[in-house]
């Protein structure tokens, strides 16, 4: 049975571009959250997709100062220089190589997914490009990755949204330390459409240990929610167009709030305001 609706209130803030002269970012803007400096506060890594005038794409790291302000920290988090990609589309954080450190997996405009390994060890996170194409979409473009252990075998499987609204599923047939991906299907949802430019995200919405698939899209609005492959509309927000939903307990109270980037740059922060109730197992 679908859970009661999840209610959020929205707040918006802007972010300056990380590169001097690159101030005309007028396309998609994607984000993910992680505590890259280990101060107990979630920081933000964003993908600026491009500028129509300059054809530029990059990743940017933003330090959370704990007072509601995010400060550019790109130079220290990416020691190889500000990343330049072929249309960075989206990014996820996961321990991709089983060394206990969170890595970055980045989708690109064509069909490739890139991997930035975390070389920070015991100190602050530092990300270095290892492979610009660890896997490619079987068809289509606008690769948007998500990592989730869908089969419960202890390693991370790979899901990739594409421009048409399909989600491809790659099973990890390797090990937690050495991933090897095999295409299972190029349409995980079996023909169910969620709008163009699908952005898949797995998250436990109810605190019951079972993750739902949340999908952002080009048109924005209320995201599609799938429990198994059954669709519902329990996330009651209006996301901006081209949004990439990211859920995190940013307030440290055991409730995940929602962040969404979108067209034109900036982030929208949705603070969850409904009463949290776990569903019975």
């Amino acid at each position: 049975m679908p859970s009661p609706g999840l209610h959020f209130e929205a707040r918006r803030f802007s972010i300056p571009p990380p590169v001097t002269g690159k101030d005309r970012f007028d396309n998609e803007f994607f984000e993910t959250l992680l505590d890259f400096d280990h101060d107990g506060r979630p920081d933000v890594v964003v993908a600026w997709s491009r500028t129509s005038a300059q054809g530029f794409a990059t990743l940017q790291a933003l330090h959370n100062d704990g007072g509601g302000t995010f400060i550019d920290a790109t130079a220290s988090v990416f020691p190889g220089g500000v990343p330049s990609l072929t249309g960075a589309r989206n990014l996820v954080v996961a321990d991709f190589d089983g060394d206990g450190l969170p890595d970055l997996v980045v989708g690109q405009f064509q069909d490739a997914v890139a991997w930035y390994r975390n070389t920070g060890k015991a100190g602050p996170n530092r990300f270095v490009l290892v492979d610009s194409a660890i896997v490619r979409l079987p068809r289509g473009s606008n690769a948007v990755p998500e990592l989730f252990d869908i089969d419960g075998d202890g390693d991370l499987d790979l899901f990739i949204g594409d421009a048409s609204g399909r989600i491809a599923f790659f099973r990890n047939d390797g090990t937690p330390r050495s991933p090897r991906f095999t295409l299972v299907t190029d349409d995980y949802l079996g023909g169910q459409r969620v709008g163009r430019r699908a952005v898949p995200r797995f998250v436990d919405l109810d605190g019951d240990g079972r993750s739902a698939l949340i999908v952002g899209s080009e048109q924005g609005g209320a995201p599609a929610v799938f429990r198994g492959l059954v669709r519902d509309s329990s996330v009651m927000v209006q996301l901006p167009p081209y949004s990439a939903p990211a859920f995190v307990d940013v307030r440290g109270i055991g409730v995940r709030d929602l962040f969404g980037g979108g067209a034109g740059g900036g982030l929208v922060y949705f603070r969850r305001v409904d009463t949290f109730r776990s569903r019975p197992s």
Side-chain angles (χ1 to χ4, degrees), residues 17-261:
V19 180
T20 301
K22 305 294 186 179
D23 58 353
R24 293 180 58 191
F25 286 82
D26 59 1
N27 208 300
E28 297 98 320
F29 178 93
F30 306 99
E31 82 297 325
T32 193
L33 294 100
L34 76 158
D35 180 10
F36 54 65
D37 50 14
H38 308 313
D39 64 357
R41 297 186 293 262
D43 306 298
V44 182
V45 179
V46 295
W48 294 88
S49 178
R50 68 173 175 86
T51 69
S52 58
Q54 296 140 329
F56 178 79
T58 190
L59 302 180
Q60 180 181 17
L62 297 163
H63 165 69
N64 179 355
D65 72 354
T69 300
F70 290 84
I71 302 166
D72 184 73
T74 306
S76 61
V77 174
F78 294 97
V82 176
S84 181
L85 299 168
T86 305
R89 309 306 295 169
N90 215 311
L91 64 166
V92 291
V93 177
D95 181 6
F96 201 63
D97 54 2
D99 63 357
L101 300 174
D103 304 304
L104 289 177
V105 178
V106 186
Q108 300 180 70
F109 177 71
Q110 294 298 328
D111 57 0
V113 174
W115 170 25
Y116 282 80
R117 174 183 286 137
N118 189 340
T119 63
K121 299 184 178 178
N125 299 154
R126 302 288 183 265
F127 297 101
V128 176
L129 180 65
V130 173
D131 192 335
S132 62
I134 54 172
V135 73
R136 293 183 182 273
L137 280 169
R139 56 174 170 163
S141 61
N142 198 71
V144 179
E146 170 69 329
L147 291 161
F148 180 70
D149 183 10
I150 194 69
D151 51 13
D153 64 353
D155 54 33
L156 293 171
D157 304 299
L158 178 61
F159 296 79
I160 309 177
D162 73 11
S164 73
R166 291 183 300 263
I167 298 174
F169 167 39
F170 292 80
R171 183 181 61 243
N172 189 345
D173 289 330
T175 68
R177 296 193 67 86
S178 181
R180 177 171 56 87
F181 295 104
T182 301
L183 178 65
V184 175
T185 176
D186 64 1
D187 191 0
Y188 177 72
L189 296 177
Q192 299 184 78
R193 288 292 177 261
V194 295
R196 288 182 51 78
R197 301 192 181 189
V199 181
R201 291 290 180 262
F202 285 92
V203 62
D204 180 1
L205 293 172
D206 305 322
D208 61 2
R210 294 176 289 189
S211 292
L213 172 61
I214 316 297
V215 188
S217 66
E218 177 179 278
Q219 68 267 29
V225 180
F226 294 88
R227 301 176 190 274
L229 294 178
V230 178
R231 185 170 182 168
D232 70 42
S233 56
S234 56
V235 176
M236 302 173 68
V237 299
Q238 293 296 306
L239 292 172
Y242 301 95
S243 192
F247 290 83
V248 65
D249 179 15
V250 72
R251 293 175 287 163
I253 62 172
V255 175
R256 290 188 176 96
D257 297 321
L258 170 60
F259 285 78

